[in-house]
Amino acid sequence: MKSSSLFAATLFVSTINSTAAPAAPLGETYTVIVGGRNVGHLDAVSEGATTRIVWDIKNNGRGPTIAETLSVDAAGIPVAWKVTGATTFGGKVDESFTARGKAARWTDSTGSGSGAIADPSLYVPQNGSPWALGLYARALLADADRQMPALPGGTLRLEKGETLTLRGAGGPVEATAYALSGINLNPEYFLLDEQGRLFAAIGGRGVTVRKGYEGEDQRLRDLAERMSAARYAEIQKSTAHVYSAPIRIRNVRLFDPKTLALTEPRSVLVWRDSIAAVEPLDSPATRGEVTIDGAGGTLVAGMTEMHGHVSEDDAVLNLAAGITTIRDMGNDNDELEAIIDRIESGRSAGSRIVPSGFIEGRSPFSSNNGIVAESEAEAVEAVRYYAARGYWQIKIYNSIDPAWVPAMVAEAHRLGLRVCGHVPAFSTADAMMEAGYDELTHINQFVLGWVLQPGEDTRNLLRLTALRRLKGLDLDAPKVRKTIDLIVSKKIAIDPTLVIHEAFTQTRNGQVPPGMADYLDHLPVAEQRGAKQAWVDLSAPGDDQAYRAAFDQIVATLRILNDKGVMIVPGTDMGGAFTYHRELELYQKIGMTPAQILKRATFDTAAYLGQDQRRGSIEKGKLADFFLIAGDPTRDLKAIKSIAMVVKNGTVYFPTEIYQRFGIAPFAEPPKVTVAASPSAQAPTS
């Protein structure tokens, strides 16, 4: 679904005018690689004062088309920028920027703005291409402290990394890695050659590399992983508070999933990675304890994000949001294994990860994740591969031949794996449930069979844009009742990812998305701008109303499923963290109370994953996995959005400290911590 990486776009055409034109035409061509496969290209041709760039990517059956025109002054600072086209999901783009003297003006999907330019400043468009990374880097390298103001807001900072000798058809190239921060929550990683030209943009599960050097894909991916790992190792070192003494968290009420209520004030004792005791509030402390004052707040067991595609930033931001476990629903297997290893060894901060074995079929629309099979035999072998490596389930994706599914399901169940997934193209949710799915992924996959015509291909954006056909659909129609009866009678679960469907159907240009109203102003400026951009093209008559009505139909469908006892598991497919809080909040629309939602997010999901003996509630002997908030979430679920402290496996984190590393304004102050003056109580690692 929606991605913030460099690979969220497909086609960029840029024209760059410079006051210092090159003496002769200069051509640069780049190959875009995702999952080890070439999925696009970037071509740049400079002639005189103009450079034209074409960036074209086709991955997972979707991508935008955007045209840029950029002019710079003698110092290489942008003075005009025009961006038009469509975003990944088809939303219209019409953006412009001009700087004249000390005044700057811009217009984008959020509206128009202006500002005074006190110092040379770098404009950051909503939909810029990777070529801009080289432009920013050259300007920053010419600046004494390698940082400059950004427009419309923020500051860009450049950090130098290692230098590599990269080999390809053009001969050896000495390229230096850089990290550019200040655009998004996480740095952008890229390399410049010795002439200061962009050699490669790396990270975001892919590489854009100069043509002829595609053979360096793995080295560049390894470099991106090292740079990312170093960042998250520093975050872990600076924010993980590990004590060798018992930790007493005083004056807290506990959410009890059995009673769906809060307890009376208690003290919770943590020793190493587990809960040592839950004691009456007036119980005396023992010698050498670390005391944390809960100030009458509430402890809630760590929550589970049931639909992630985990990167290291996802893992740490989810942790800060009280999500101590993430079910990964498809990834680069080697990269995910490395992330899990770093988290479990304590080198990186992050939620624990339960991986799903992603299996896709080969087609022009393939998602290049997990294992891509070209035959039924290969698909069944992929099931065995995941079973041998301890995966909990497999996930079937869009381009799998529906005829392969019965064999895949049979082998998975024989080996003790559950089966979930999308509905493969040209099939239906009904057929997949009959074939043995244990869980359906995404509510759109569940309802599409009611509105699609035979032969329509859902390996592209149709699997989302067809939702507008739901308007006016009778939810008591026989075909609707049949699908609902099947999921109920077969006791199949659903992972609806309601929040991403809200974002897809309800986000409008220039408006704060309804799901982000409580936190958007805490995020960096670029993140705020990007959020206020429609995901889809709403220009056709009736489409705005049709998409709004589609979400109402989705909510009504989920209310029916909830009323009939279908297990609805909370996941986002949007990176979790703040969007997970919104996913839970939306469940009130389908008939669940705040207390029922908390139970679903904590105990029920732990039980669903077979982990309720060790987590999911705050009890003696279970893992010390919980978070501290000030309010009563059984009365107002929004209380979970202001987290003061998270404990995972006995390690204490204060979200305020984590958010500083991402440019996020904090939501709650950390509690008071008192460390006893005793050799038995060590200072935290930070």
Side-chain angles (χ1 to χ4, degrees):
M1 293 261 186
K2 194 174 184 183
S3 169
S4 62
S5 76
L6 294 176
F7 302 95
T10 3
L11 178 61
F12 286 81
V13 181
S14 306
T15 304
I16 300 95
N17 300 316
S18 172
T19 57
L26 173 66
E28 298 172 282
T29 301
Y30 301 83
T31 301
V32 182
I33 305 172
V34 175
R37 294 185 64 84
N38 295 359
V39 297
H41 60 91
L42 188 157
D43 301 316
V45 178
S46 299
E47 186 171 5
T50 302
T51 301
R52 292 180 174 83
I53 301 171
V54 176
W55 191 27
D56 185 10
I57 305 171
K58 291 294 183 293
N59 187 38
N60 200 10
R62 59 196 180 205
T65 300
I66 292 177
E68 289 180 90
T69 301
L70 170 65
S71 300
V72 298
D73 63 16
I77 307 298
V79 294
W81 210 316
K82 181 69 175 175
V83 187
T84 58
T87 64
T88 301
F89 294 96
K92 295 298 185 184
V93 173
D94 188 2
E95 180 179 0
S96 61
F97 164 80
T98 58
R100 291 185 176 90
K102 296 294 184 180
R105 296 182 180 276
W106 56 86
T107 299
D108 56 30
S109 68
T110 68
S112 297
S114 62
I117 305 173
D119 298 302
S121 301
L122 296 168
Y123 179 71
V124 178
Q126 282 183 317
N127 297 281
S129 70
W131 190 90
L133 296 174
L135 181 150
Y136 298 146
R138 289 188 291 275
L140 290 163
L141 286 169
D143 190 83
D145 60 0
R146 294 188 179 180
Q147 63 178 25
M148 295 177 66
L151 293 171
T155 302
L156 299 188
R157 295 179 177 87
L158 190 69
E159 293 185 19
K160 184 179 180 180
E162 61 187 276
T163 297
L164 288 75
T165 301
L166 298 158
R167 293 177 170 80
V173 173
E174 295 290 315
T176 301
Y178 292 92
L180 178 68
S181 59
I183 296 180
N184 298 308
L185 293 175
N186 296 287
E188 305 283 355
Y189 300 126
F190 59 96
L191 295 92
L192 301 181
D193 65 14
E194 292 176 294
Q195 288 73 45
R197 295 181 300 156
L198 183 70
F199 180 82
I202 60 178
R205 299 197 177 97
V207 166
T208 298
V209 60
R210 188 171 293 171
K211 186 173 179 60
Y213 293 83
E214 293 87 350
E216 296 284 18
D217 169 45
Q218 189 61 55
R219 285 185 69 200
L220 292 170
R221 290 167 62 190
D222 291 345
L223 172 61
E225 184 176 321
R226 289 197 302 275
M227 295 177 76
S228 176
R231 166 173 162 79
Y232 291 102
E234 186 279 326
I235 291 175
Q236 171 75 344
K237 182 179 179 180
S238 301
T239 66
H241 298 256
V242 180
Y243 301 95
S244 60
I247 304 169
R248 179 178 294 269
I249 305 169
R250 292 192 71 260
N251 192 16
V252 287
R253 296 179 298 168
L254 317 181
F255 172 69
D256 184 349
K258 295 173 184 164
T259 64
L260 298 179
L262 302 186
T263 67
E264 292 300 311
R266 298 280 192 268
S267 288
V268 174
L269 275 294
V270 174
W271 173 240
R272 294 179 179 164
D273 67 350
S274 299
I275 298 170
V278 177
E279 298 182 349
L281 180 58
D282 58 1
S283 296
T286 62
R287 178 171 52 86
E289 292 180 357
V290 173
T291 302
I292 297 177
D293 182 7
T298 302
L299 284 188
V300 180
M303 299 181 290
T304 303
E305 153 69 292
M306 293 292 280
H307 196 120
H309 296 278
V310 182
S311 61
E312 226 148 355
D313 55 288
D314 291 338
V316 70
L317 287 173
N318 273 278
L319 182 65
I323 300 158
T324 55
T325 303
I326 303 171
R327 182 178 68 166
D328 186 272
M329 293 292 280
N331 221 310
D332 180 292
N333 293 332
D334 293 338
E335 290 181 13
L336 183 64
E337 183 178 345
I339 292 171
I340 292 172
D341 180 62
R342 286 194 291 272
I343 291 172
E344 292 186 349
S345 67
R347 288 174 286 158
S348 291
S351 311
R352 71 178 57 81
I353 298 169
V354 178
S356 303
F358 188 92
I359 308 176
E360 169 69 307
R362 178 71 65 205
S363 84
F365 306 97
S366 296
S367 176
N368 292 290
N369 259 341
I371 296 174
V372 181
E374 300 195 20
S375 66
E376 179 179 300
E378 287 187 7
V380 171
E381 180 58 32
V383 175
R384 298 188 186 112
Y385 174 93
Y386 289 124
R389 286 154 181 81
Y391 281 65
W392 183 75
Q393 68 175 8
I394 62 165
K395 178 184 176 184
I396 293 171
Y397 208 61
N398 300 317
S399 292
I400 284 289
D401 187 330
W404 304 350
V405 171
M408 296 172 70
V409 169
E411 187 67 4
H413 288 167
R414 184 183 76 82
L415 296 172
L417 296 177
R418 291 173 58 87
V419 178
C420 76
H422 287 206
V423 173
F426 313 112
S427 188
T428 65
D430 294 6
M432 292 303 100
M433 289 189 286
E434 294 283 13
Y437 270 32
D438 300 294
E439 175 185 317
L440 279 162
T441 305
H442 301 303
I443 187 62
N444 66 311
Q445 300 286 324
F446 182 75
V447 304
L448 280 178
W450 307 337
V451 295
L452 289 176
Q453 298 301 314
E456 288 192 296
D457 192 345
T458 55
R459 294 174 297 178
N460 52 39
L461 283 178
L462 182 65
R463 64 181 182 265
L464 293 167
T465 58
L467 290 173
R468 58 190 161 180
R469 303 177 189 175
L470 289 174
K471 182 182 179 182
L473 178 70
D474 180 6
L475 295 183
D476 197 40
K479 60 184 176 182
V480 175
R481 291 203 309 270
K482 178 185 176 186
T483 305
I484 291 173
D485 288 345
L486 268 176
I487 197 171
V488 173
S489 65
K490 290 183 174 292
K491 295 180 169 55
I492 294 168
I494 188 166
D495 163 24
T497 60
L498 184 55
V499 67
I500 199 169
H501 291 83
E502 179 189 47
F504 183 82
T505 61
Q506 307 300 297
T507 303
R508 298 295 182 268
N509 282 343
Q511 300 177 19
V512 175
M516 303 179 77
D518 293 334
Y519 67 87
L520 186 61
D521 60 353
H522 288 251
L523 302 185
V525 171
E527 295 284 340
Q528 294 185 40
R529 291 171 68 214
K532 298 176 185 177
Q533 187 170 23
W535 285 39
V536 292
D537 180 9
L538 300 166
S539 60
D543 274 4
D544 180 272
Q545 296 83 356
Y547 279 115
R548 291 190 189 278
F551 187 67
D552 292 339
Q553 292 281 66
I554 286 169
V555 169
T557 300
L558 283 170
R559 180 179 280 272
I560 293 169
L561 297 185
N562 184 60
D563 289 346
K564 291 180 176 291
V566 173
M567 179 62 173
I568 297 170
V569 298
T572 69
D573 199 17
M574 291 183 73
F578 307 131
T579 61
Y580 182 83
H581 296 162
R582 178 59 175 177
E583 177 81 12
L584 299 183
E585 191 174 35
L586 286 170
Y587 286 6
Q588 294 172 110
K589 290 180 176 289
I590 68 173
M592 298 176 72
T593 68
Q596 290 172 332
I597 294 166
L598 283 176
K599 179 174 182 284
R600 183 62 49 88
T602 56
F603 185 83
D604 290 350
T605 49
Y608 187 79
L609 295 171
Q611 298 177 351
D612 52 306
Q613 295 302 305
R614 288 293 280 150
R615 63 181 191 86
S617 57
I618 302 171
E619 301 178 66
K620 176 181 172 63
K622 287 194 172 184
L623 289 173
D625 265 37
F626 46 75
F627 59 94
L628 173 67
I629 54 179
D632 179 353
T634 66
R635 294 180 179 272
D636 183 0
L637 195 60
K638 287 182 183 292
I640 67 172
K641 299 183 180 186
S642 298
I643 297 176
M645 177 182 73
V646 179
V647 179
K648 180 209 163 195
N649 287 359
T651 298
V652 178
Y653 297 89
F654 303 119
T656 296
E657 297 177 345
I658 291 174
Y659 291 147
Q660 290 174 359
R661 273 73 179 178
F662 293 87
I664 299 173
F667 298 85
E669 290 300 313
K672 180 181 178 181
V673 180
T674 304
V675 179
S678 166
S680 64
Q682 273 188 346
T685 57
S686 62

